[in-house]
Amino acid sequence: LDLAGAVKELVENALDAGATNIEVRLRDHGQESVEVVDNGCGVKSDDLAMMTKKYATSKIRDFGDLDRLASFGFRGEALSSLCALGDLSVATRTADDDAGTRVEYDAEGDVRSRGVVARAVGTTATVRNVFARTPVRRKELARNVKREYGKLLNVLQAYALVAPETRIVCSHQGRGKNAPRQTALNTQGGGSLRAAVATVFGHKTSSAMLEVREDLGEGCGARLAGMVSKASPGCGRGAGDRQFFFVNGRPVDLPKAARVCNETYRQYNQTTSGTPFPCVVLDFRLPTDAYDVNVTPDKRKVLLHGESKVLAGFRAALEKIWSPSRYTYAVAAAGAADGSETTRDDAIEARDAIAGGPSAAT
């Protein structure tokens, strides 16, 4: 478990708890402490001693639940790993509690201290002295802390995009008590994907993207939802650093889907402007028994049971989305003096009007 992985697990727990507001607070890029505050349903007092034990989870009841997962977490490994990562404390309160409870855990996940605190309904999980028990990893983190911080922000961006109805804020405070706190991410949580994209990537990128809602054909039972760049000059990027793929709302790595997306985009956006990669925020919505997410501990790798059919449907959907752009040109002529996009026939008609008659080329 690394720094980004720790934040990922805590944010997923907050989303599974139904939180509509999540705040991630970092000190010294996360080296000193990582704190995740949410307004979810909280943790029952009787579960606090058990929840940090290895393989203990409340999100599945039997093995059959693995075929119909509706939660991010299910392995029961995150909190026990966080106890080994640093000093973990949890303050929580449910709607049935009169007051909150704060618990500190040792490296084995056992309760070290327990007390009553004032808190609204929800949970605050804090990890201090990250990697303090493993000096080699601590030194490695200190040496590459800016890179690890970047990976952490990338993880938060993914959840901000896939959960636009949830307000996600990330702030960072440097060393020292008087160091200023800076906001690195702040989404509004209004439920609009376009607004979330504008917050994460900027308004210019958002305005250059198309909304997507497509079926991937019969036989795979999959649907595609999200946004992709327009296949027009200047609408893509020079690198694939803004490509986010999801399966049923779970951020995952889909290298084959990314390859199909990039290849198709280059077919329709043949430009010399250095933008051969589209910006992508796409969610593959599949039946829960059509894929397996229980492959790696971080659940980033997914096995699609009908992968060839899904990829074929994905390519066809992208061609449907981008193919009209082949016959669209930006012209500055009669009827389009503002440089707006017109079809090829409109462009020829405008050219003929300027020339005073039909063109011999037509």
Side-chain angles (χ1 to χ4, degrees):
L1 197 65
D2 57 8
L3 187 62
V7 172
K8 165 188 172 294
E9 298 295 346
L10 293 176
V11 169
E12 286 185 347
N13 283 343
L15 291 171
D16 284 341
T20 58
N21 190 83
I22 301 173
E23 185 174 355
V24 180
R25 303 169 183 167
L26 308 172
R27 288 187 66 90
D28 193 14
H29 298 94
Q31 291 186 95
E32 185 174 334
S33 68
V34 175
E35 185 175 73
V36 177
V37 185
D38 70 64
N39 65 342
C41 62
V43 182
K44 295 180 181 179
S45 180
D46 294 340
D47 294 336
L48 288 171
M50 188 65 185
M51 71 177 186
T52 51
K53 296 300 181 183
K54 211 160 197 175
Y55 311 123
T57 179
S58 62
K59 297 175 184 178
I60 59 173
R61 300 295 180 184
D62 53 51
F63 287 112
D65 288 344
L66 293 174
D67 293 329
R68 47 184 180 271
L69 285 171
S71 62
F72 287 105
F74 60 89
R75 295 173 64 98
E77 296 178 330
L79 292 178
S80 63
S81 297
L82 290 177
C83 289
L85 183 72
D87 300 324
L88 176 67
S89 64
V90 174
T92 187
R93 179 190 166 195
T94 67
D96 297 329
D97 296 331
D98 295 328
T101 303
R102 186 178 186 276
V103 180
E104 294 183 354
Y105 299 92
D106 61 18
E108 304 299 323
D110 295 324
V111 175
R112 186 165 58 191
S113 66
R114 183 175 183 139
V116 177
V117 295
R119 199 205 186 284
V121 174
T123 302
T124 300
T126 306
V127 183
R128 292 186 173 85
N129 302 318
V130 177
F131 293 138
R133 297 187 180 94
T134 52
V136 174
R137 294 197 66 183
R138 177 77 175 182
K139 290 180 181 179
E140 185 71 15
L141 174 63
R143 185 163 53 246
N144 302 297
V145 67
K146 296 291 181 67
R147 184 180 66 188
E148 295 300 315
Y149 178 65
K151 288 169 57 179
L152 183 155
L153 290 180
N154 186 263
V155 167
L156 289 178
Q157 288 174 350
Y159 289 101
L161 294 170
V162 79
E165 69 283 354
T166 301
R167 179 175 178 263
I168 297 180
V169 180
C170 177
S171 60
H172 163 255
Q173 186 175 11
R175 297 179 180 178
K177 292 183 178 180
N178 299 322
R181 181 168 291 277
Q182 301 173 338
T183 300
L185 177 68
N186 187 356
T187 65
Q188 299 306 309
S192 167
L193 175 58
R194 185 171 291 277
V197 171
T199 300
V200 175
F201 295 150
H203 178 72
K204 182 178 179 181
T205 298
S206 172
S207 61
M209 296 180 73
L210 299 169
E211 294 192 20
V212 175
R213 290 189 180 275
E214 297 286 343
D215 288 327
L216 298 188
E218 299 180 1
C220 63
R223 293 179 296 116
L224 192 66
M227 296 178 68
V228 294
S229 292
K230 298 176 182 177
S232 302
C235 291
R237 284 180 65 80
D241 58 338
R242 290 186 178 177
Q243 296 186 347
F244 292 84
F245 293 94
F246 309 88
V247 171
N248 290 353
R250 181 189 299 278
V252 296
D253 296 325
L254 293 176
K256 292 183 180 180
R259 188 182 309 118
V260 168
C261 185
N262 294 331
E263 290 174 354
T264 308
Y265 187 72
R266 291 181 190 123
Q267 293 176 16
Y268 295 101
N269 187 19
Q270 296 178 356
T271 176
T272 59
S273 60
T275 56
F277 295 92
C279 297
V280 176
V281 181
L282 291 176
D283 186 12
F284 289 80
R285 297 177 180 175
L286 307 171
T288 54
D289 60 353
Y291 66 97
D292 186 5
V293 72
N294 191 23
V295 180
T296 57
D298 62 0
K299 300 179 284 291
R300 294 284 305 189
K301 184 176 181 179
V302 173
L303 296 181
L304 303 179
H305 296 170
E307 184 178 62
S308 59
K309 291 182 179 180
V310 172
L311 292 178
F314 182 43
R315 186 183 294 274
L318 292 175
E319 290 174 346
K320 179 181 177 182
I321 295 165
W322 285 325
S323 59
S325 64
R326 275 190 169 179
Y327 309 101
T328 303
Y329 304 89
V331 299
D338 60 349
S340 59
E341 289 188 347
T342 63
T343 64
R344 180 177 181 274
D345 291 340
D346 291 337
I348 293 174
E349 184 178 340
R351 184 188 62 192
D352 292 343
I354 295 173
S359 170
T362 62

